[in-house]
Amino acid sequence: MTFYLTTPIYYVNSTPHIGHAYTTLAADILVRHHRQRGEDTFFLTGTDEHASKVYRVAEEQGLDPKVYVDQIAEKWREVPEQIGAEIDFFIRTTDEGHKRFVQEFVQRIYDNGDIYEDTYSGLYCVGCEAFKNEDELVDGKCPDHGTVPERIEEKNYFFRLSRYQEPLLKLYDERPDFVLPDFRRNEARSFIEGGLEDFSLSRAGQPWGVPVPWDQDQVVYVWVDALINYLSALTYARPGDDLRERYWPHVRHLIAKDILRFHCVFWPALLLSAGYEVPRRIFVHGYLTLDDRKISKSLGNVIDPLHLVDVYGSDAVRYWATRSVQFGRDGSVSLDSLHERYERELGNDLGNLVSRTTAMIAKYRDGRIPIAPGAEGAPSLDALGQEVEKRLDEFDLTGAIDAIWDAVRALNKFVTDSKPWELAKDEANAEELDRVLYALADGIRVVAVALHAYLPETTPRILQALGQPDEFDWSFVAPGQTVETEDVEPAPPLFPRVEAPAAAA
């Protein structure tokens, strides 16, 4: 099995915020999970650097655009590392390998007769890097950026999107899971059904971008240039090795809802025109909102993900982001909610469970985990692996973590119900105490392996505390595989107390 996952590539006109980290950490959870299942995985993220607004910001600062993007791209490279994401390649659209492939790709479309020259006259939002119709505006302004779009008129090259209306409708009807969740699929299909108009594939009069191969006075429209990264990266990510055949048939895109039209309509049409397979799946998630307003650089209500990580650690931020909001839907977040989940769920539910269990094994059994299955009333974790797997195959990151947390709480309840401290008072209960302690250690081990994709820094410490092998293969999300060990000591807190969330603001 093979699993290739991409995030959108991010604009470099400013620095990263928690909304960008959200997509990247969610993608990392999915990739890590598929790696646990023994699959051949590839994880791509990167930066989109040919936007008009990037060129303008560089000009304002008196910098060459390439010098400017080289500086700011480094900030974006730090994000995966800070949030504990392990990427396979970081693409920049200023890479020579990318630019070369973009020219090959658009040339194929041109050779197929899907590009023609015409004059575009209309509105253009520099913030969105997108052409706008009057009916998309609110009080004459872009609803996302609150700015009045610029009116432009220029001769450029158009892509015959209208030619792909029927093939796209056929694709959506034959593959109901092509776009998820369903309500996003319906949104994209309705847009196609409403009639597709050809769009500009190039921009005239600006030097910043990938030159159109048959007309060097124009550059490829930034959105077309950006979309092609998902394919181009595979041609040069490993020098001398073309990975397209290995990974492209298995590609899934993870995107936010504001770029649905480009990914779910324009991109498959471009791929069909160039003779490539369309993606296996496109999953569209909602916005993280702060005080019920979309988090964005232009609105100025950003949360720096790196500040949050400095205070709480990357695992806590990963947990909070995926558990606080139903993945796929919009949801409001706050720093208070992060602090509360850190203390109540990570610190108490999980941290205390590990601390109490290891302390009791150390105290009542001299650090030895006895192999004694069959404790009465112990929670059954037989179906956990299957349940989590099923949910993550559907990109239901919140449902999967909820299922794991149900197991954590069931284990806590088992501690309360079985009262090992009472059993320890009477030698006649020795066998029952062995069974209870084994059930707790085994249950925590199962939970740790299931949680590994979400909490990659914490879970190895849990297995270490229990004296278990550092092994996260998915087959270990099954009870009864805890090995006997004799060196368990009371575990230090997994999530030490931190100051109130003001420290992260």
Side-chain angles (χ1 to χ4, degrees), residues 29-30 33-34 36-37 381-407 446-447 449-454 474 477:
I29 289 166
L30 289 161
H33 169 74
H34 282 273
Q36 281 184 276
R37 282 156 68 171
L381 302 181
D382 293 313
L384 182 65
Q386 204 174 350
E387 172 72 7
V388 172
E389 197 173 306
K390 175 175 169 288
R391 288 186 179 274
L392 290 178
D393 280 346
E394 296 165 358
F395 284 59
D396 182 7
L397 277 77
T398 311
I401 189 82
D402 287 350
I404 299 168
W405 225 253
D406 285 345
V446 170
V447 161
V449 180
L451 269 177
H452 183 58
Y454 292 86
W474 197 248
V477 187

Side-chain angles (χ1 to χ4, degrees), residues 14-73:
S14 188
T15 48
H17 62 68
I18 193 67
H20 305 117
Y22 182 51
T23 311
T24 304
L25 67 83
D28 184 65
I29 289 166
L30 289 161
V31 173
R32 282 179 185 272
H33 169 74
H34 282 273
R35 203 180 301 138
Q36 281 184 276
R37 282 156 68 171
E39 297 179 21
D40 177 16
T41 61
F42 194 85
F43 179 16
L44 179 72
T45 189
T47 46
D48 175 6
E49 302 180 12
H50 285 137
S52 308
K53 55 190 175 187
V54 169
Y55 185 69
R56 291 182 187 185
V57 171
E59 267 193 325
E60 285 167 15
Q61 296 185 12
L63 293 172
D64 175 81
K66 183 64 166 70
V67 172
Y68 170 74
V69 295
D70 284 348
Q71 288 175 2
I72 205 158

Side-chain angles (χ1 to χ4, degrees), residues 142 149 310 483:
C142 166
D310 286 345
V483 298

Side-chain angles (χ1 to χ4, degrees), residues 57-112:
V57 171
E59 267 193 325
E60 285 167 15
Q61 296 185 12
L63 293 172
D64 175 81
K66 183 64 166 70
V67 172
Y68 170 74
V69 295
D70 284 348
Q71 288 175 2
I72 205 158
E74 289 310 305
K75 295 277 185 201
W76 290 87
R77 280 187 187 276
E78 292 170 13
V79 173
E81 191 181 327
Q82 291 276 351
I83 57 171
E86 289 183 350
I87 60 170
D88 289 291
F89 190 61
F90 187 96
I91 188 170
R92 297 179 57 188
T93 54
T94 51
D95 291 345
E96 289 304 319
H98 171 73
K99 293 194 283 189
R100 206 164 38 242
F101 185 85
V102 167
Q103 291 189 310
E104 288 173 23
F105 188 97
V106 296
Q107 186 69 53
R108 286 172 75 148
I109 294 172
Y110 184 78
D111 294 344
N112 287 342

Side-chain angles (χ1 to χ4, degrees), residues 46-253:
T47 46
D48 175 6
E49 302 180 12
H50 285 137
S52 308
K53 55 190 175 187
V54 169
Y55 185 69
R56 291 182 187 185
V57 171
E59 267 193 325
E60 285 167 15
Q61 296 185 12
L63 293 172
D64 175 81
K66 183 64 166 70
V67 172
Y68 170 74
V69 295
D70 284 348
Q71 288 175 2
I72 205 158
E74 289 310 305
K75 295 277 185 201
W76 290 87
R77 280 187 187 276
E78 292 170 13
V79 173
E81 191 181 327
Q82 291 276 351
I83 57 171
E86 289 183 350
I87 60 170
D88 289 291
F89 190 61
F90 187 96
I91 188 170
R92 297 179 57 188
T93 54
T94 51
D95 291 345
E96 289 304 319
H98 171 73
K99 293 194 283 189
R100 206 164 38 242
F101 185 85
V102 167
Q103 291 189 310
E104 288 173 23
F105 188 97
V106 296
Q107 186 69 53
R108 286 172 75 148
I109 294 172
Y110 184 78
D111 294 344
N112 287 342
D114 279 339
I115 291 175
Y116 62 94
E117 194 174 19
D118 204 349
T119 299
Y120 176 81
S121 178
L123 299 169
Y124 190 79
C125 173
V126 175
C128 297
E129 293 290 353
F131 300 98
K132 297 286 183 181
N133 296 323
E134 296 277 1
D135 58 6
E136 295 177 70
L137 307 179
V138 177
D139 298 327
K141 294 178 180 177
C142 166
D144 284 336
H145 296 95
T147 54
V148 178
E150 299 173 7
R151 185 162 291 281
I152 62 170
E153 183 167 322
E154 62 183 37
K155 184 166 276 196
N156 49 34
Y157 293 94
F158 281 72
F159 171 64
R160 297 185 194 276
L161 182 64
S162 54
R163 182 179 280 180
Y164 289 89
Q165 181 162 340
E166 289 310 314
L168 287 176
L169 288 172
K170 186 168 182 281
L171 166 68
Y172 272 76
D173 290 343
E174 288 177 353
R175 286 177 47 189
D177 64 347
F178 174 59
V179 173
L180 290 176
D182 288 343
F183 68 98
R184 296 294 179 205
R185 173 190 174 275
N186 295 339
E187 191 181 321
R189 197 188 182 286
S190 299
F191 179 78
I192 298 164
E193 214 168 23
L196 297 179
E197 294 179 6
D198 299 347
F199 68 84
S200 293
L201 183 120
S202 71
R203 294 294 313 276
Q206 64 173 51
W208 183 237
V210 179
V212 170
W214 60 89
D215 184 346
Q216 298 289 306
D217 292 333
Q218 304 227 8
V219 295
V220 177
Y221 172 40
V222 64
W223 260 107
V224 175
D225 164 9
L227 287 164
I228 296 169
N229 93 89
Y230 304 127
L231 252 176
S232 72
L234 298 178
T235 65
Y236 70 97
R238 301 282 179 272
D241 194 2
D242 190 330
L243 301 173
R244 280 178 290 180
E245 197 174 312
R246 178 173 167 186
Y247 290 116
W248 186 251
H250 310 283
V251 67
R252 283 92 164 166
H253 300 317

Side-chain angles (χ1 to χ4, degrees), residues 196-443:
L196 297 179
E197 294 179 6
D198 299 347
F199 68 84
S200 293
L201 183 120
S202 71
R203 294 294 313 276
Q206 64 173 51
W208 183 237
V210 179
V212 170
W214 60 89
D215 184 346
Q216 298 289 306
D217 292 333
Q218 304 227 8
V219 295
V220 177
Y221 172 40
V222 64
W223 260 107
V224 175
D225 164 9
L227 287 164
I228 296 169
N229 93 89
Y230 304 127
L231 252 176
S232 72
L234 298 178
T235 65
Y236 70 97
R238 301 282 179 272
D241 194 2
D242 190 330
L243 301 173
R244 280 178 290 180
E245 197 174 312
R246 178 173 167 186
Y247 290 116
W248 186 251
H250 310 283
V251 67
R252 283 92 164 166
H253 300 317
L254 184 60
I255 64 166
K257 67 178 186 179
D258 56 337
I259 50 177
L260 177 144
R261 193 176 299 179
F262 292 106
H263 283 80
C264 303
V265 182
F266 293 15
W267 179 224
L270 289 164
L271 286 165
L272 290 170
S273 176
Y276 285 97
E277 290 178 61
V278 299
R280 284 280 295 273
R281 178 168 292 173
I282 302 169
F283 189 92
V284 187
H285 70 72
Y287 289 148
L288 275 185
T289 58
L290 189 63
D291 303 322
D292 296 321
R293 293 184 76 199
K294 178 194 170 190
I295 298 169
S296 76
K297 293 188 288 278
S298 52
L299 291 173
N301 64 339
V302 303
I303 303 175
D304 185 335
L306 310 189
H307 287 172
L308 294 179
V309 169
D310 286 345
V311 177
Y312 294 99
S314 59
D315 279 8
V317 173
R318 291 163 70 98
Y319 175 83
W320 164 69
T322 46
R323 189 148 154 86
S324 296
V325 172
Q326 176 60 47
F327 194 66
R329 299 272 176 181
D330 289 344
S332 195
V333 294
S334 69
L335 296 182
D336 287 342
S337 71
L338 169 53
H339 192 76
E340 187 183 339
R341 285 186 186 275
Y342 179 87
E343 287 198 332
R344 183 165 51 86
E345 295 174 10
L346 292 173
N348 290 344
D349 291 353
L350 180 61
N352 280 354
L353 176 66
V354 174
S355 295
R356 292 168 80 189
T357 300
T358 52
M360 288 188 291
I361 291 168
K363 183 176 181 180
Y364 304 139
R365 289 295 176 262
D366 296 324
R368 183 178 63 86
I369 296 177
I371 302 303
E376 193 177 328
S380 171
L381 302 181
D382 293 313
L384 182 65
Q386 204 174 350
E387 172 72 7
V388 172
E389 197 173 306
K390 175 175 169 288
R391 288 186 179 274
L392 290 178
D393 280 346
E394 296 165 358
F395 284 59
D396 182 7
L397 277 77
T398 311
I401 189 82
D402 287 350
I404 299 168
W405 225 253
D406 285 345
V408 171
R409 287 182 169 151
L411 287 164
N412 275 304
K413 184 176 184 299
F414 178 60
V415 175
T416 307
D417 292 348
S418 60
K419 299 183 176 64
W421 51 90
E422 293 290 342
L423 294 173
K425 291 176 181 176
D426 188 342
E427 192 56 36
N429 299 322
E431 285 185 17
E432 179 59 20
L433 180 59
D434 282 351
R435 285 193 288 269
V436 166
L437 293 176
Y438 178 78
L440 286 170
D442 194 46

